[in-house]
Amino acid sequence: MAMPDPHQDVRSSSGVTISVRGVSKDYATANGETVHALDAVDLDIAAGEFVSVVGPSGCGKSTLLMLIANLVPASNGTILVDGKASKQALDRAAIVFQRDVLLEWRSVLDNVLLPIEIKHLDRAVYRQKALELLDLVGLKAFADRFPRELSGGMRQRASICRALVQAPGLLLMDEPFGALDALTREQMNFDLQRMWMRDQNTVLFITHSIEEAVLLSDRVIVMSDRPGRIAEIYDIGLARPRGAQSRSDPRFLQAVEGIRRNFMALGILSEV
Ligand SMILES: Nc1ncnc2c1ncn2[C@@H]1O[C@H](COP(=O)(O)OP(=O)(O)OP(=O)(O)O)[C@@H](O)[C@H]1O
Ligand SMILES: [Mg+2]
């Protein structure tokens, strides 16, 4: 029997599909004003697809992510996860925020197993999987350590393992590497790519880094300033796995340049 190719670009997937139709979001502020955060967003994400969102601060990226996770209600429009109202999405979704939210009094392994405990699943069954995930990101030797003994990058790796331990169909990541130094961030990109290729989750990834978005994604969504709208969607056709050499691939450079030009045309970026 042929062995599966570990570098295969996996597409058929256990990930969920997402359908966003005409979604808007208005927030009522404390002083009685209304913030029109998102406006008429339409978006389809295929099962197992890796989609990034880039856009200026305050354009509604986190809002879009929270709407899909059903953590805040939409003002208008519908969101379907695997064809169902996204109320059920939280069951299939794991969220990674910019700052890791590890519990300081639990070991790294116990932090990774937290969702298993919350869902009353069999800890013994998932322990092995948790250790495999920690191994995958070079943290196996730290399984019994406490978060305070870890660096920022190691902590964020542990929180990604925690998100992945229950095999979510949907991984929602809100600037997960924003607080990391550049070198650690680069390593995290490769770690995330490896895990995504292995697990076939659907991923919605928010970042301020155009290069990071292009390196990781099947598609990059460019959002305009508030109220956030989808200004453009870029298909990134580069083969995987994408390594450091991908950054000098003409198609990588072309995509990065195209997105940057788009931000200039939108008045979000300006040169000297
Ligand atoms: N709970 C809230 N109440 C009122 N306004 C809010 C609330 N949450 C977000 N907003 C406003 O909605 C807009 C979009 O916010 P959001 O957090 O989605 O932006 P973002 O694109 O994630 O920004 P950043 O890149 O800085 O994280 C902002 O103007 C923000 O002030
Ligand atoms: Mg945000």
Side-chain angles (χ1 to χ4, degrees), residues 214-226:
V214 172
L215 185 78
L216 289 171
S217 307
D218 294 310
R219 286 187 296 157
V220 178
I221 294 170
V222 172
M223 282 180 65
S224 65
D225 217 342
R226 200 176 56 241

Side-chain angles (χ1 to χ4, degrees), residues 196-210:
W196 171 75
M197 288 178 73
R198 197 187 83 135
D199 289 352
Q200 309 166 26
N201 297 309
T202 304
V203 181
L204 183 68
F205 183 89
I206 295 174
T207 178
H208 279 114
S209 164
I210 298 172

Side-chain angles (χ1 to χ4, degrees), residues 27-29 35 37 55-64 174-175 208 226:
Y27 288 109
T29 63
V35 178
S57 184
C59 76
K61 302 180 295 297
S62 297
T63 298
L64 178 63
D174 196 348
E175 296 186 52
H208 279 114
R226 200 176 56 241

Side-chain angles (χ1 to χ4, degrees), residues 75-110:
S75 305
N76 273 302
T78 54
I79 298 175
L80 300 179
V81 175
D82 261 355
K84 296 185 231 72
S86 74
K87 273 191 192 49
Q88 289 100 340
L90 273 180
D91 274 352
R92 303 278 333 259
I95 307 179
V96 180
F97 295 101
Q98 179 167 1
R99 297 189 55 154
D100 68 77
V101 213
L102 297 177
L103 303 178
E104 299 294 337
W105 60 92
R106 294 175 71 112
S107 70
V108 169
L109 179 62
D110 285 344

Side-chain angles (χ1 to χ4, degrees), residues 47 53 72 109 133 198 207 231 269:
V53 181
V72 297
L109 179 62
L133 282 167
R198 197 187 83 135
T207 178
L269 260 180

Side-chain angles (χ1 to χ4, degrees), residues 46-230:
E49 199 180 7
F50 195 120
V51 173
S52 290
V53 181
V54 292
S57 184
C59 76
K61 302 180 295 297
S62 297
T63 298
L64 178 63
L65 183 139
M66 289 192 291
L67 287 165
I68 291 173
N70 199 42
L71 292 175
V72 297
S75 305
N76 273 302
T78 54
I79 298 175
L80 300 179
V81 175
D82 261 355
K84 296 185 231 72
S86 74
K87 273 191 192 49
Q88 289 100 340
L90 273 180
D91 274 352
R92 303 278 333 259
I95 307 179
V96 180
F97 295 101
Q98 179 167 1
R99 297 189 55 154
D100 68 77
V101 213
L102 297 177
L103 303 178
E104 299 294 337
W105 60 92
R106 294 175 71 112
S107 70
V108 169
L109 179 62
D110 285 344
N111 265 288
V112 173
L113 286 169
L114 185 67
I116 303 307
E117 274 178 38
I118 290 173
K119 291 192 171 170
H120 302 293
L121 299 171
D122 187 346
R123 198 184 138 96
V125 171
Y126 284 89
R127 188 173 184 278
Q128 194 51 38
K129 180 159 188 218
L131 288 171
E132 273 169 34
L133 282 167
L134 287 169
D135 196 22
L136 205 64
V137 296
L139 281 182
K140 199 170 183 181
F142 291 83
D144 296 324
R145 304 283 195 88
F146 287 86
R148 63 174 177 275
E149 300 175 79
L150 270 53
S151 71
M154 292 158 91
R155 292 177 66 112
Q156 196 59 311
R157 267 180 227 150
S159 56
I160 292 172
C161 291
R162 182 176 58 190
L164 293 174
V165 73
Q166 48 180 330
L170 175 60
L171 186 58
L172 300 166
M173 307 185 89
D174 196 348
E175 296 186 52
F177 309 142
L180 304 178
D181 66 89
L183 203 57
T184 307
R185 187 168 186 159
E186 197 160 324
Q187 185 59 53
M188 296 296 294
N189 284 340
F190 297 135
D191 288 350
L192 176 61
Q193 172 177 246
R194 197 168 53 247
M195 290 196 269
W196 171 75
M197 288 178 73
R198 197 187 83 135
D199 289 352
Q200 309 166 26
N201 297 309
T202 304
V203 181
L204 183 68
F205 183 89
I206 295 174
T207 178
H208 279 114
S209 164
I210 298 172
E211 279 84 0
E212 185 172 81
V214 172
L215 185 78
L216 289 171
S217 307
D218 294 310
R219 286 187 296 157
V220 178
I221 294 170
V222 172
M223 282 180 65
S224 65
D225 217 342
R226 200 176 56 241
R229 294 189 182 96
I230 294 180

